[in-house]
Amino acid sequence: MLHVSNLSVARGGMTLLSGVDFALNAGQILVLRGANGLGKTSLLRCIAGLQNPVDGQITAPETVAYSGHADGLKGQMTVLENLAFWSSIYHGPSPEVALDAYELHALADRPAANLSAGQKRRLGLARMQVSGCALWVMDEPTVSLDADNVALFRAALDRHVQSGGAAVITTHIDLAIASAKLLDLTRFKARGLMGSTAFEEALE
Amino acid sequence: MMPDLGKYALEVNSSYVLSLLALGVIVGLYAKRSRAVKRDLAAMEAVHDA
Amino acid sequence: MIQLFLRDVGLSVRSGGGFGLALIFFLIVVTLIPLALGPDQTALAVVAPGVLWLGALLACLLSLDRIFGLDFEDGTLDLLVTSPLPPEAVYIAKAAAHWLTTGLPLALAAPVLGVLLNLDFETGKILCLSLLLGTPALSLIGAFGASLTLGVKRGGLLLSLLVLPLYVPSLIFGAQAVRLAGQGLTYDEALVLLSAISLGAAAILPFASGAALRINLR
Amino acid sequence: MGWSGRALPWVAAAAGLSLCSGLIWGYFFTPDDIRQGSTVKIIYLHVPAALMAINGYLLMFVGALVWLIRRQHVSVLAAKAAAPVGMVMTLIALATGAIWGQPMWGTYWVWDPRLTSFLILFLFYLGYIALWAAIENEDTAADLTSVLALVGAVFAMLSRYAVLFWNQGLHQGTTVTMADGAQQDNISNVFFQPLLLSMAGFGLLFLTLLLIGTRTEVRSRRLKVLQARERME
């Protein structure tokens, strides 16, 4: 479903990771590990199509569901309205399933602005369900979630991969997902290699 | 030596002075920045090559 | 795309959405003009077309940074660009929502405020028509400018600097049409050219703006 | 970087020579016009500056286009280097035009289409330079300013026609026709030869500054890369 080969990723004109290779099939979860500032987020943004890689190739489905550091919620809209909006943008399944998965029924008519940080995060994760996309690309999904809610997330993730989906997740805590493949990005760290060689050519 | 500019001397002279001043300023700025960047780059490359 | 348009319109009408601020600004500008120029009725009627067009243009400028700014800050824009919706469609939906919540109310309010500046009813109709034809260009150009200055912190002033020169043709043709109408001359040509700018902007700017959005989120 | 470094001293010398000789010829050794008196000598500054103001924007347009299509860094850096020079040229054209206008039209500023278009062109230059300065990431800035330059060029043309529509104007028609032979009808050789020389001077000066500026931008980008590398190590 996702195939990444010889990928180089840059941020702010500096190549952070190079030679990244991995493949992900339907039904698999890939957990990317690595220190802060290593380039995890930049790698995910490349996979989601928000950023162009410096080098290498990504084969991914046409649309993927991406979740970043910000949840992209509108405070003036209720929980249900937020989900319904994203469902219509993706032409995805109805919000009911997502409300079930993250036990958001009681909050459905509450404006998103009145939610706690953990509740907002749950709503952000519930958005992945209404996207209907097979590949989930998630950046630190469990930030500000307590143990119970991490369990909800794990259950939702399990259901997603069992129905033929796949997910790429970055995290710096152990999610304890038994089925997940682990990939430490530290060994792809770019050493002394910079982007923008064009200027050196121009100087010749 | 000065040409007789008649009653428009002020206009003509101020045009020439202002324009040459403006050109001088932009040339000066470009030359100054060019020198500064050239010097910084040379210093940086010297450190790198060493 | 229609969903995004409806959501943007809905958000701006709800509390804290800023709907109506442009209208209030427009009203205040029109109130201040006679205070600055003096109460002479004939003098006011002479400057009314230009003042009303300029007031509408400035009112339009006020809300531009909200078009993409709010969605950029809370991460929605990232999600919209990764969704099946192309950035060009995001731009069109947002510019259209901005027009519906800003340009259209301004166009409808202008003849009413024109009464305050001694603008006669017939000319007021042309003013309304010229604003209806011209404000789409203002929203489209403004949203383009907003997409360019997305990543710039406190980019409001820069946005005005970029957008105002682009507003020149619309302002000239729009105000000219009303002025000609006020003098009883034919104004068709100005209105046609005004609509041509709006149509042209709708044809070219989605691509420029879509590119700018992609570049900014990179 | 190689050929431009070798060419630079020659271009600079040619620029200095033709500019000085053109302006000296124009200032000291040309007769006064019958109607305009000695103010005719302002055209040796006004016309070349106006020409380079427009060519500067044209150059930015081409540079931006080449960058967006071919991703040639040098072309966008040339566009960046051209902008301040073009802006100064616009300023000179505006200032000399206003000074010339005072005795001729009786006022420093009239809202004449041509003057107004130049004022708008000045605003476009300002916007382009301000956008470059506001964006930190260099490649993002290159892309966004290029998009602005393309859209700006379209709107600058539009403004030109809008302004003509708005006011038919006082400005005399273009004095210098570029078509061969036609200039004799318009402007006599006494004025035309030094004008041609100072036009060449302004053009070569523009080219000199463009070369210096582009080389500086290239070096400055390389410097930034090296600094970033140093921070990484």
Side-chain angles (χ1 to χ4, degrees), chain A residues 45 48-52 62-64 66-68 70-74 76-78 81 84-86 88-91 127, chain C residues 1 3-4 7 11 14-17 66 70-71 73-85 214 216-218:
Chain A
R45 289 178 71 86
L50 282 168
Q51 191 178 332
N52 293 330
E62 191 152 331
T63 51
V64 302
Y66 172 76
S67 126
D71 288 314
L73 304 174
K74 285 296 164 197
Q76 303 103 305
M77 287 165 43
T78 66
E81 282 171 336
F85 167 68
W86 287 111
S88 68
I89 289 287
Y90 280 94
H91 308 292
R127 188 179 52 78
Chain C
M1 190 168 140
Q3 297 299 327
L4 178 60
R7 188 205 68 156
L11 279 177
R14 285 184 203 203
S15 64
R66 298 175 70 99
L70 297 178
D71 277 1
E73 279 162 22
D74 67 13
T76 308
L77 207 54
D78 273 350
L79 305 178
L80 281 174
V81 171
T82 53
S83 78
L85 215 57
R214 282 199 194 88
N216 257 317
L217 295 175
R218 202 169 55 196

Side-chain angles (χ1 to χ4, degrees), chain B:
Chain B
M1 185 60 219
M2 286 301 285
D4 179 23
L5 294 172
K7 57 177 173 166
Y8 300 127
L10 181 69
E11 278 83 10
V12 177
N13 287 330
S14 60
S15 291
Y16 273 79
V17 169
L18 280 179
S19 303
L20 291 178
L21 207 67
L23 290 180
V25 166
I26 188 89
V27 169
L29 285 176
Y30 268 55
K32 190 176 155 217
R33 191 167 125 75
S34 165
R35 256 201 302 279
V37 170
K38 216 184 274 184
R39 191 189 54 225
D40 290 353
L41 183 62
M44 184 61 108
E45 278 179 336
V47 171
H48 261 260
D49 292 342

Side-chain angles (χ1 to χ4, degrees), chain D residues 72-95:
Chain D
Q72 294 280 337
H73 282 89
V74 180
S75 81
V76 77
L77 293 179
K80 185 185 181 186
V85 188
M87 193 176 78
V88 167
M89 293 294 177
T90 316
L91 209 57
I92 292 177
L94 280 173

Side-chain angles (χ1 to χ4, degrees), chain A residues 12-16 190 192 194-196 198-200 202-204, chain D residues 1-2 73-74 77 137 218-219 221-222 225 228-229 231-233:
Chain A
M14 263 183 290
T15 305
L16 299 173
M194 289 308 133
S196 15
F199 304 110
E200 294 171 26
L203 276 167
E204 295 304 314
Chain D
M1 210 69 184
H73 282 89
V74 180
L77 293 179
N137 184 306
V218 170
R219 285 204 179 93
R221 290 290 287 267
R222 179 164 162 77
V225 170
R229 192 178 292 183
R231 273 200 302 277
M232 286 281 282
E233 279 162 3

